[in-house]
Amino acid sequence: QRHKFWETQPVGQFKDLNDTSMPEGPIEPPTAISEVKQEPYNLPNLYEWVTCDMNSEDTCAEVYNLLSNNYVEDDENMFRFNYSKEFLRWALHPPGYYKTWHIGVCVKSSKKLVAFITGIPARIRVRSDVVSMAEVNFLCVHKKLRSKRLAPVMIKEVTRRVHLENIWQAAYTAGVVLPTPITSCQYWHRSLNPKKLIDVGFSRLGPRMTMSRTLKLYKLPDLPVTPGFRKMELRDVPAVTRLLRAYLMQFVVAPDLDELDVEHWVLPKEGVVDSYVVESPENHTITDFCSFYTLPSSILGHPTHSILKAAYSYYNVSTKTPLVQLMNDALIVAKQKGFDVFNALDVMHNESFLKELKYGPGDGKLHYYLYNYRIKNILRPSELGLVLL
Ligand SMILES: COc1cccc(CC(=N)NC(=O)c2cccnc2OC2CCNCC2)c1
């Protein structure tokens, strides 16, 4: 029945929701590493664990193919995330990563990869508590192996390997409601190429709208309007780190990023992540920053279009330029780079620009979770300063 697995885990349980006596913080205490199960969990007979070295071209290609054919689809099964190999290597190789947290399940006989789950280390602040956590992502079971209860054993195995590194908390997201979200975010889409979005069924022509009126509605200038708006460079890392750290302090849950993290996560990487700074023309200080990551989706079963080019809002900081103007410049450069749509969650201050910049609401929600860490009351999305890939 529902949540058979999650009711056995140290996560906020629905039945505890209004029990205000429970303190905020870890649900279970850490244990000695010697107490952690030393050997991997048992898999069903035909399968075996494999550690995926994403620096190996062959392994990265196998992971790419598994995800490209079996990972998350939208509610109407019209689109499927299509993370690129460069993106996967970026997402899984942040400073301090553990190869052993990139876990595959293979068929013993054929060595075929049929399932995958990953963790990466992250320092996440919850209120004033900076916690070493694992960010768990890319849980994927081949379509032909669903309902074999593989996911629970994969979650237990990545948890075991995280425990072996003396880390006892985790953060993850899901499109489904599990025990118990710390917040539930609405996603929003801003059309950049409305004709293609309507052709492939991502968007529909509005009521009393013609195609030409729709093209005019979403038209953008060719160039950013903010003076000093330019691509981020390595020399900007110290300034962007200062901006970002100060900005993220206002949120209840946010990553605790140092200069090495900023260099990895937000320095532009072709086809993976784009980032821009506003360098004030008068005194050359960095006053604002915006970024978005590249996550295309396969368009399932369309005769002429196979890929939806989507940009996802990442971290944005405005201290001088109005956020709405900064985010409009992000739309302008994303359109110039050939993206079809720009997606954003209603986290941080995003709500302040979504309607004005003509975003439309998506048809689903993205729920955020913490493992082995209780939050007293569910957060508003605007209290969340964490964007997962
Ligand atoms: C358009 O193609 C899609 C292909 C698969 C799923 C979805 C809907 C969806 N589930 N979208 C999101 O989860 C989403 C919407 C806006 C911003 N970030 C998002 O998810 C991110 C963060 C979580 N991991 C996936 C990427 C759309």
Side-chain angles (χ1 to χ4, degrees):
Q1 68 288 28
R2 287 167 64 83
H3 311 314
K4 200 164 165 311
F5 167 69
W6 285 109
E7 281 163 8
T8 70
Q9 298 297 299
V11 291
Q13 298 296 334
F14 291 126
K15 61 180 169 42
D16 303 338
L17 264 182
N18 44 26
D19 181 343
T20 55
S21 70
M22 297 179 151
E24 191 150 287
I27 294 169
E28 284 177 350
T31 69
I33 306 288
S34 56
E35 296 293 295
V36 177
K37 191 174 184 307
Q38 300 298 302
E39 67 288 339
Y41 280 90
N42 288 335
L43 280 167
N45 252 346
L46 300 176
Y47 306 105
E48 64 185 358
W49 297 110
V50 64
T51 296
C52 295
D53 174 3
M54 299 303 286
N55 284 325
S56 144
E57 184 51 42
D58 290 352
T59 305
C60 192
E62 277 187 283
V63 169
Y64 167 79
N65 287 320
L66 175 74
L67 295 176
S68 182
N69 294 311
N70 300 280
Y71 198 45
V72 178
E73 297 174 6
D74 70 305
D75 289 348
E76 292 171 64
N77 305 102
M78 295 171 67
F79 308 99
R80 185 184 307 126
F81 287 137
N82 186 239
Y83 289 87
S84 72
K85 287 188 283 185
E86 302 73 30
F87 189 107
L88 291 169
R89 270 191 286 268
W90 170 69
L92 296 177
H93 291 164
Y97 78 91
Y98 302 93
K99 269 192 193 320
T100 52
W101 294 8
H102 304 158
I103 306 169
V105 175
C106 276
V107 181
K108 273 179 190 154
S109 50
S110 65
K111 302 300 176 206
K112 194 170 171 304
L113 185 70
V114 292
F116 189 59
I117 187 168
T118 68
I120 54 167
R123 281 184 324 285
I124 306 281
R125 180 183 48 76
V126 183
R127 290 189 218 284
S128 56
D129 199 9
V130 177
V131 183
S132 280
M133 296 197 189
E135 284 178 6
V136 176
N137 206 345
F138 304 114
L139 170 57
C140 178
V141 174
H142 195 287
K143 283 172 180 271
K144 290 185 176 145
L145 299 185
R146 300 283 164 89
S147 309
K148 284 181 176 294
R149 305 298 293 168
L150 271 178
V153 69
M154 293 174 70
I155 294 166
K156 285 192 282 196
E157 182 59 15
V158 73
T159 304
R160 185 187 71 85
R161 297 190 190 192
V162 168
H163 286 164
L164 287 175
E165 302 298 343
N166 197 26
I167 291 176
W168 306 93
Q169 272 73 36
Y172 51 103
T173 60
V176 291
V177 177
L178 304 168
T180 299
I182 61 165
T183 193
S184 297
C185 307
Q186 169 75 46
Y187 40 83
W188 293 74
H189 315 291
R190 206 289 183 179
S191 297
L192 299 176
N193 183 355
K195 180 164 181 348
K196 177 174 175 183
L197 295 181
I198 290 165
D199 283 353
V200 305
F202 182 88
S203 314
R204 280 185 299 283
L205 208 49
R208 297 184 302 285
M209 290 285 279
T210 60
M211 182 56 83
S212 70
R213 169 105 178 70
T214 302
L215 295 175
K216 201 157 154 285
L217 176 68
Y218 292 116
K219 182 123 185 68
L220 289 163
D222 288 342
L223 294 172
V225 305
T226 306
F229 186 90
R230 64 167 171 80
K231 275 192 74 156
M232 180 182 174
E233 298 166 19
L234 184 60
R235 64 191 168 99
D236 301 315
V237 164
V240 167
T241 306
R242 274 191 299 278
L243 264 189
L244 200 42
R245 288 184 65 83
Y247 189 76
L248 289 174
M249 284 312 286
Q250 66 189 294
F251 304 112
V252 171
V253 174
D256 179 65
L257 301 168
D258 64 18
E259 289 189 4
L260 278 180
D261 299 316
V262 169
E263 181 176 338
H264 178 81
W265 289 122
V266 294
L267 211 48
K269 259 188 187 62
E270 184 68 31
V272 171
V273 58
D274 289 276
S275 55
Y276 296 84
V277 296
V278 177
E279 178 180 337
S280 142
E282 66 214 67
N283 61 16
H284 299 289
T285 55
I286 306 292
T287 55
D288 313 279
F289 160 81
C290 65
S291 59
F292 51 88
Y293 63 82
T294 297
L295 171 51
S297 279
S298 303
I299 303 170
L300 307 178
H302 193 274
T304 56
H305 294 290
S306 59
I307 292 287
L308 182 70
K309 298 185 198 92
Y312 285 74
S313 177
Y314 200 28
Y315 290 102
N316 309 295
V317 181
S318 81
T319 68
K320 288 278 169 309
T321 308
L323 184 60
V324 66
Q325 179 183 319
L326 183 70
M327 293 311 291
N328 198 54
D329 280 344
L331 293 175
I332 291 166
V333 294
K335 168 70 181 171
Q336 288 305 313
K337 293 172 83 79
F339 287 96
D340 299 319
V341 65
F342 198 107
N343 296 321
L345 296 165
D346 57 357
V347 297
M348 295 181 271
H349 296 165
N350 291 356
E351 208 161 359
S352 70
F353 61 76
L354 291 169
K355 290 199 174 78
E356 187 171 349
L357 293 185
K358 303 168 186 164
Y359 283 74
D363 58 6
K365 292 216 156 196
L366 188 68
H367 308 280
Y368 276 73
Y369 300 94
L370 292 180
Y371 182 93
N372 194 21
Y373 199 96
R374 190 191 313 286
I375 298 259
K376 259 196 183 319
N377 305 307
I378 192 165
L379 306 181
R380 295 185 299 277
S382 58
E383 293 177 293
L384 185 70
L386 178 64
V387 177
L388 298 186
L389 302 172

